[in-house]
């Protein structure tokens, strides 16, 4: 029989769910898995109907990181570079997309799988979820996951994870800012959809502008960030939905977005 697709894409009501679908391999980010994930993220991404992307997974492991079989000495440096370069491309792509991306985590997220969670705009996790960067234990320090981790967690928390490989519980990950919410496993779908549907009530064009601006300003010094965002606020007012939102508020009615 034909092999199951490595990712499954389904979309309804403005919400696209991309499911990592290789539980037998612990949803490892092999080169084909990364290619499939990139394809699903980019699919018809400018459509007005697409408002939110949710990344979920089949099985007890959300994502175990890179497929170590691809990183053995049997493959050459060129192949190893291809794997890490594509992974970096996918992680940065998530933040460049014009819609919010939510990680829906139910299980273990390790190494590049933890990097994937840290790279998403929002992350909702079940109480049983855990997060780790255990590469140091097998002689492959999690240097690329450290980029996303170091931008999501306090430095000393990130470095403890990177130096020891010990996992954070869902509650610890929440406390340190790696994830947004922790819920019981049976409430994970409900909470993720609640956030998604709330996002769907807003203008896609306004959210796209806001997301892009957030990631631009976060790396700038305070004065530069305020100068840039002041201009963006003025630009926001020139958008049709910027004016529609203000008019609707003044007229005490629901806005009708053009997106």
């Amino acid at each position: 029989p034909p092999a199951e697709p490595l990712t499954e894409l389904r979309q309804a009501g403005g919400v696209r769910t991309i499911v990592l679908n290789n539980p037998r391999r612990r949803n490892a980010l092999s080169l084909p898995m990364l290619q499939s994930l990139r394809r699903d993220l980019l699919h018809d991404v400018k459509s007005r109907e697409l408002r939110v992307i949710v990344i979920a997974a089949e099985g007890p492991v959300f994502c175990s990181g890179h497929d170590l079989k691809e990183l053995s000495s049997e493959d050459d440096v060129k192949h190893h570079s291809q794997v890490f370069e594509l992974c970096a491309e996918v992680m940065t792509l998530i933040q460049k997309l014009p819609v919010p991306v939510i990680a829906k985590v139910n299980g273990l997220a390790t190494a590049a799988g933890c990097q994937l969670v840290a790279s998403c705009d929002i992350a909702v996790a079940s109480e049983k979820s855990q997060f780790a960067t255990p590469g140091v234990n097998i002689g492959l320090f999690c240097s690329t996951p450290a980029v996303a981790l170091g931008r999501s967690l306090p430095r000393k928390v990130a470095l403890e994870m990177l130096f020891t490989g010990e996992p954070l519980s869902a509650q610890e990950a929440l406390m340190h800012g790696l994830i947004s919410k922790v819920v019981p496993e049976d409430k994970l779908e409900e909470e993720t959809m609640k956030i998604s549907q709330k996002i769907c009530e807003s203008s896609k064009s306004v959210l796209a502008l806001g997301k892009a601006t957030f990631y631009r300003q976060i790396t700038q010094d305070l004065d530069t960030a305020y100068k840039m965002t002041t201009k963006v606020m003025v630009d926001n007012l020139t958008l049709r939905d910027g004016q529609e939102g203000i008019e609707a508020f003044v007229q005490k009615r629901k806005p009708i977005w053009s997106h």
Side-chain angles (χ1 to χ4, degrees):
E4 292 257 332
L6 291 174
T7 60
E8 288 185 351
L9 184 156
R10 48 182 182 260
Q11 188 167 323
V15 181
R16 171 179 300 167
T17 301
I18 301 170
V19 182
L20 307 181
N21 188 39
N22 192 12
R24 290 177 61 189
R25 298 289 302 153
R26 296 160 62 90
N27 295 315
L29 293 178
S30 63
L31 196 60
M33 173 70 93
L34 286 165
Q35 289 166 340
S36 188
L37 178 56
R38 178 178 61 180
R39 185 169 56 248
D40 286 351
L41 287 168
L42 288 171
H43 175 72
D44 205 15
V45 75
K46 294 184 178 177
S47 163
R48 289 203 309 177
E49 279 67 51
L50 176 64
R51 316 299 296 287
V52 186
I53 295 174
V54 174
I55 300 177
E58 284 291 340
V61 175
F62 175 78
C63 179
S64 60
H66 291 293
D67 187 340
L68 295 179
K69 288 186 176 179
E70 289 187 332
L71 305 180
S72 69
S73 57
E74 293 174 16
D75 291 303
D76 59 17
V77 170
K78 184 178 178 182
H79 180 79
H80 296 164
S81 296
Q82 190 179 6
V83 170
F84 290 119
E85 285 166 8
L86 180 56
C87 185
E89 181 187 335
V90 169
M91 300 300 168
T92 54
L93 170 63
I94 287 170
Q95 295 182 357
K96 292 175 182 175
L97 291 172
V99 296
V101 181
I102 303 172
K104 175 186 164 190
V105 186
N106 188 28
L108 189 62
T110 62
C114 188
Q115 180 185 4
L116 179 59
V117 175
S119 298
C120 289
D121 304 310
I122 297 170
V124 185
S126 67
E127 292 169 333
K128 73 176 187 181
S129 300
Q130 289 186 303
F131 306 86
T133 48
V136 68
N137 298 329
I138 58 163
L140 183 64
F141 196 86
C142 286
S143 294
T144 45
V147 175
L149 239 64
R151 285 160 170 75
S152 297
L153 290 165
R155 183 177 300 181
K156 288 177 173 59
V157 177
L159 285 170
E160 183 179 346
M161 287 181 70
L162 292 161
F163 290 158
T164 68
E166 288 296 302
L168 290 184
S169 68
Q171 286 296 341
E172 288 171 324
L174 176 66
M175 178 175 67
H176 295 305
L178 179 60
I179 59 177
S180 319
K181 287 196 173 179
V182 177
V183 295
E185 185 177 0
D186 62 356
K187 298 288 185 184
L188 183 59
E189 172 68 15
E190 179 186 332
E191 186 60 35
T192 306
M193 287 309 299
K194 181 181 172 184
I195 296 169
S196 300
Q197 287 161 1
K198 183 62 181 173
I199 290 169
C200 286
E201 293 175 9
S202 297
S203 161
K204 179 172 182 176
S205 55
V206 170
L207 284 172
L209 177 65
K211 175 174 171 174
T213 303
F214 177 85
Y215 286 112
R216 278 174 61 202
Q217 66 82 25
I218 203 73
T219 60
Q220 297 174 340
D221 66 79
L222 198 62
D223 289 340
T224 305
Y226 270 120
K227 187 174 181 180
M228 186 267 287
T229 54
T230 297
K231 182 180 183 305
V232 171
M233 294 290 285
V234 174
D235 292 342
N236 195 154
L237 288 171
T238 68
L239 294 178
R240 190 188 309 173
D241 281 350
Q243 286 301 312
E244 167 60 16
I246 292 170
E247 288 173 16
F249 179 80
V250 170
Q251 296 168 11
K252 295 182 172 58
R253 62 174 174 81
K254 288 193 73 171
I256 301 168
W257 305 124
S258 65
H259 305 295

